[in-house]
Amino acid sequence: MLLIFLDGVGVGEDDPRRNPFLSARLPTFEALLGGVPTLARPAVSGGFAGRVGHAAGVDATLGVEGTPQSGTGQASLLTGRNGAAEFGRHFGPWIPTALRPAVRDANLLVRARDDGHRVAFANAWPRGWTIETAGRRVAGPPLAALGAGVLDRHVEHLVSGEALASEIVSDPWIHTLGPPDLPRPTPECAGRILGRVATPGGVTLFAHFATDTVGHARDLAAGAAQLERVDTFLAGVLAALPPAHPIVIISDHGNLEDVTTGHTRNPALGIVVGGAAPGGEERARRAASALRSLTDLPDVVLGLLD
């Protein structure tokens, strides 16, 4: 199965002045889900290209006061443990030091690997990245990949079309890390690359962080443009991925869905896409129903694999 993490995307109000989901052109999301999820209608479903998608609002507050943050939210998603409660508060943007061992050693990729499944991290990442070299800037997905032994795609894999930059397009990587002659795939082509990377089976994780970055800009047009990039990217994924391959799209907290504020206590966006295999639609529906909290993600992922 394919797991796509989108940082900072929640389910927002039915207000196009605040929520860029309602001003953006999102043909893939709308066809796949039968509409855009909102707080008034968080659970939507539809069909696209032989697949059925189910959306759900996922609790990111975890019973803890304050505004959900990426560090404890990602820890909760990846381990199934209540990171905010264990740490004593919501914390971000980086994984707090006390939670790093669990995220590295007891995450869903490690669990899937130990159950005999192939696991992969589709992001290209700077060679030599470790907790020590990263300092305080430790995000959950690469730490989970490091623990599972799959933080193994680097700049040469961008060149060969076997990995993606976290921004989907490669320009930010080029400007930050180089070299300047790296391929520059369109969002749709990048989606096709991810579809091919994920094809061999098991669990493939791809993490996209720019949705949260754009959300902090509080710019409706920029938010809509970012969602349109993700929508086109998803169209490429669906075109390249085998029809029976399930997909889970998940976020860690709200932000981008309301450009009038920063992080929100809104439900995080969760989507389960069922494959065309017999029973795929029903399995996707059940998985979306089970995805009530960030801590439910590992069991949902492993359940779809079984």
Side-chain angles (χ1 to χ4, degrees):
M1 61 152 297
L2 174 60
L3 176 60
I4 298 176
F5 169 71
L6 301 177
D7 197 351
V9 182
V11 178
E13 299 280 355
D14 190 1
D15 183 350
R17 298 166 300 178
R18 302 173 65 179
N19 188 349
F21 274 98
L22 302 176
S23 58
R25 293 175 294 178
L26 305 173
T28 308
F29 274 114
E30 291 180 0
L32 189 62
L33 300 175
V36 173
T38 63
L39 289 174
R41 188 169 168 256
V44 294
S45 61
F48 177 77
R51 298 173 172 88
V52 174
H54 299 273
V58 181
D59 175 45
T61 65
L62 302 174
V64 176
E65 294 295 325
T67 306
Q69 302 293 327
S70 293
T72 45
Q74 291 170 25
S76 302
L77 281 174
L78 292 164
T79 66
R81 295 160 54 167
N82 188 329
E86 289 189 19
F87 189 66
R89 60 187 174 93
H90 296 290
F91 179 87
W94 314 109
I95 303 292
T97 302
L99 300 182
R100 291 179 187 179
V103 175
R104 181 189 60 205
D105 301 329
N107 66 76
L108 63 86
L109 294 179
V110 169
R111 290 175 59 185
R113 180 202 65 191
D114 291 349
D115 284 347
H117 299 287
R118 171 190 175 272
V119 298
F121 185 51
N123 292 62
W125 214 256
R127 190 179 298 279
W129 187 92
T130 65
I131 295 178
E132 292 72 26
T133 62
R136 60 184 292 271
R137 299 170 64 89
V138 177
L143 182 57
L146 181 69
V150 292
L151 193 66
D152 53 3
R153 297 173 195 261
H154 309 295
V155 66
E156 63 268 27
H157 298 92
L158 288 175
V159 174
S160 62
E162 299 173 279
L164 301 168
S166 64
E167 294 87 352
I168 296 175
V169 295
S170 296
D171 295 69
W173 177 293
I174 292 169
H175 295 154
T176 304
L177 299 169
D181 58 346
L182 277 178
R184 286 178 162 87
T186 65
E188 183 177 3
C189 289
R192 290 178 180 271
I193 290 170
L194 180 57
R196 292 195 298 270
V197 168
T199 295
V203 181
T204 301
L205 169 63
F206 172 72
H208 179 59
F209 303 98
T211 38
D212 189 54
T213 304
V214 171
H216 282 293
R218 303 188 186 183
D219 183 313
L220 185 66
Q226 183 63 33
L227 288 171
E228 289 171 359
R229 172 183 290 181
V230 173
D231 188 84
T232 305
F233 170 69
L234 183 57
V237 171
L238 294 172
L241 200 67
H245 207 112
I247 305 169
V248 174
I249 301 171
I250 191 70
S251 189
D252 51 354
H253 58 77
N255 182 4
L256 183 59
E257 79 284 359
D258 187 345
V259 298
T260 68
T261 185
H263 288 198
T264 72
R265 285 179 61 86
N266 289 339
L269 178 66
I271 298 171
V272 181
V273 181
E281 177 180 350
E282 177 62 17
R283 294 179 72 207
R285 185 191 65 77
R286 290 181 181 177
S289 297
L291 194 55
R292 298 181 294 271
S293 164
L294 299 184
T295 57
D296 294 324
L297 181 68
D299 286 342
V300 166
V301 168
L302 295 172
L304 285 169
L305 284 176
D306 285 339

